[in-house]
Amino acid sequence: MKLKHIWIVFNKELKDIVRDKKTLFSSILAPIIIIPILMTIVGGSTQKMTQEMYEDITVALTKNSDTESARNFLNSLAELDENIIVADPVDDPWQAINDKEVKLVIELENGFEEKLKNSEPINLTLIYDNSLARSGGAVGTFQATIDRLNTALAVEKLNALGINPDILSLVNVERQNIARTKDGNQFLMMILPMMIALLVAVGGIPAATDLVAGEKERMTLEPLLTTRSSRMSILIGKYLTINLFSFASVISTLAGMVLAYVINPAALSLGQGEIGGFSVEPLAFVLSLLITLLMGMTFSGIQLAISTYARSFKEGQTYLSLLIFAVMIPAYSTMMIMPNDIQPHMFVLPIMNTISAFKLILGGVVNYAELVMATISSIVYVILALLLAAWMFSKEKFMFRS
Amino acid sequence: MIELFNLSKRFGNLNAVHSLSFTVRKGEIFGLIGENGAGKTTTLRMLATMLSPTSGTAVLSGYDIVKEPEKVRGKVGILFGGESGLYDRLTVAENIRYFGELNDISIDEINERTKMLADTFGMNDFLHKRAGKLSKGMRQKAAFARAIIHNPDILLLDEPTTGLDVSAIREVQNFILEQKRQGKTVLFSSHTMSEIEKLCDRIAIIHKGKLVAIGTIDELRQQNQNLSLEELFVRLVGEEHEA
Ligand SMILES: Nc1ncnc2c1ncn2[C@@H]1O[C@H](COP(=O)(O)OP(=O)(O)OP(=O)(O)O)[C@@H](O)[C@H]1O
Ligand SMILES: [Mg+2]
């Protein structure tokens, strides 16, 4: 193995791939452009949806229960909550809700006003469509308003009886949220590690496909193997190129996310709340970056091995795209896990160790023993993957499979 | 010079090349002929050190393919298949340079030889154009240059004219003759009898991995009632079939 040959191969592959507009675009340029657009759109629409659930809650009576007193009752509700808007009575609740005329429809029993006056319970039927976020989501706000009305009526009654209405709520709850991170961070903790893991795993695929399977197809592999360069030098040169591309695609994705954040801070959490207030120790941050790089190196090795196995470019593409599923399984299965719930074994399993390390950092709870465990296991995987690639590259039955 | 000593290759149960022993003399054009699957490509791949022999060996320019594969590679230039096998996104000069560098040739020498080869093959007009944008004929020339940038003693060509049009075939044949003139040893495989007759000093006929006949074409014809090359090929290969 000669450094000079490795360098020559690396240089040539880099030049070759950089000139391939397709690969360059899909692995580097696309994330910077597409991610901000996607996140802004999704973030914006989530924000809009949340707004719809809490604001402009249009409520109508059914035609059946449309009486003077029912209208008055509804108006009194609207006075309690400014978000509630009274709409004209409707014939067909389902039609009205689906035509966006109203979000909720209510039906009141006959003679309810008499019963209320006598402090007897009445029935109010709330009609909504849970399959529509704007209708189903409005139920909570409406219910809270009814609760307030109930309390107000009770207070009135107790006052009339000369009893202190405080007995209605003897226990007062005062909420203190001591989460170190903002609401949006929670979301980021679920999504970001998963995304990074996926990207690290797929970023090198276009390069890897081209670098061995592509050479077989173009029949350049044979002359290449007949140069004085050893096979290992060729392999390492190609390995480094794939690595560079997988890192570059991660970096361009992160850049895309930063750009999305700059355009609209809420976009990054897809409208799930504010993000910020991270305090990460530099060493912990460096360790998690290292773990990510190591995962990239592991996958570059695996991709190189798969590309070596493939007979043609197409075959390589097919096998390599299956790799995405291999990453999705651990990535999705750990998505909902929060930093405090990560089990020790997750710091040594492949892919999961990278995701876990990132969650730890984003959650602000740094445990160095676990980070070191993730680092060491990652190094082991890098070596195994590279050995696999080297072994396959040295085997005639894979290199000249027919 | 190329010397084969019981060179053999098995793929599972298949004896793709079976104990081949013959010598290709220095400066000679030597033809390897045989039916599909006879073992030509496998033999050439072993000589180029891409495949290692199951048993036996070969010595090229004094270097053993098993013991000193890297030194062998420095002495050998290859052109496998009718397709030229260039990197499309690199220019002709970059393609040539890549193979020169990997063969440990200094940049100065690569530049000098590239210039010389560009003159010889008439490549000056497209030396700095990307290989993918060139015509088949131009690519063919670039592939020749790539194969001999390191000035190898020996050229191994596997069906170099397959799939080419008439004028491209002539280019290849002229290239082979020119290499002989420069004292290089050329071992090439072909299915085209007329081409073999036109170019080869000596030939070897192999069948199912085994050597069936070797000699000059005249010698082989004399031994076989002055049959034409094609007839004697069919006969030799056919006899082996029945045996
Ligand atoms: N990598 C391989 N693995 C298994 N069998 C192989 C491999 N390469 C070649 N063979 C088999 O070895 C035998 C010889 O093949 P080879 O390619 O050397 O023949 P050839 O003379 O070049 O044929 P053709 O004229 O078709 O090119 C064939 O039966 C082929 O199927
Ligand atoms: Mg062949």
Side-chain angles (χ1 to χ4, degrees), chain A residues 2 4-5 8-9 12-13 15-17 19-21 210 215 218-220 222-231 396 400, chain B residues 9 45 48-52 70 73-74 76 78 80-81 83 85-87 89-91 94 98-99 101-104 130 146:
Chain A
K2 272 195 200 159
K4 199 186 102 201
H5 288 156
I8 293 166
V9 173
K12 176 262 161 190
E13 298 298 7
K15 192 191 289 173
D16 199 342
I17 294 189
R19 286 181 189 175
D20 178 14
K21 300 287 179 297
D210 203 50
E215 287 229 31
R218 290 187 303 259
M219 300 181 64
T220 46
E222 293 184 322
L224 182 61
L225 295 179
T226 314
T227 61
R228 291 197 63 144
S229 167
S230 74
R231 254 183 225 196
E396 292 169 0
F400 300 98
Chain B
K9 184 72 186 178
R45 278 181 172 163
T49 78
M50 274 181 266
L51 295 177
S52 45
E70 194 196 306
R73 289 199 293 270
V76 165
I78 71 161
F80 275 28
E83 285 283 323
L86 299 167
Y87 297 102
R89 291 184 294 264
L90 298 190
T91 66
E94 285 165 345
Y98 184 46
F99 285 93
E101 285 187 304
L102 286 179
N103 275 310
D104 295 331
R130 291 199 190 172
R146 187 221 69 209

Side-chain angles (χ1 to χ4, degrees), chain B residues 36-37 39-42 158-159 189 191:
Chain B
N36 292 119
K40 303 180 294 295
T41 303
T42 305
D158 191 24
E159 299 186 28
S189 73
H191 286 294

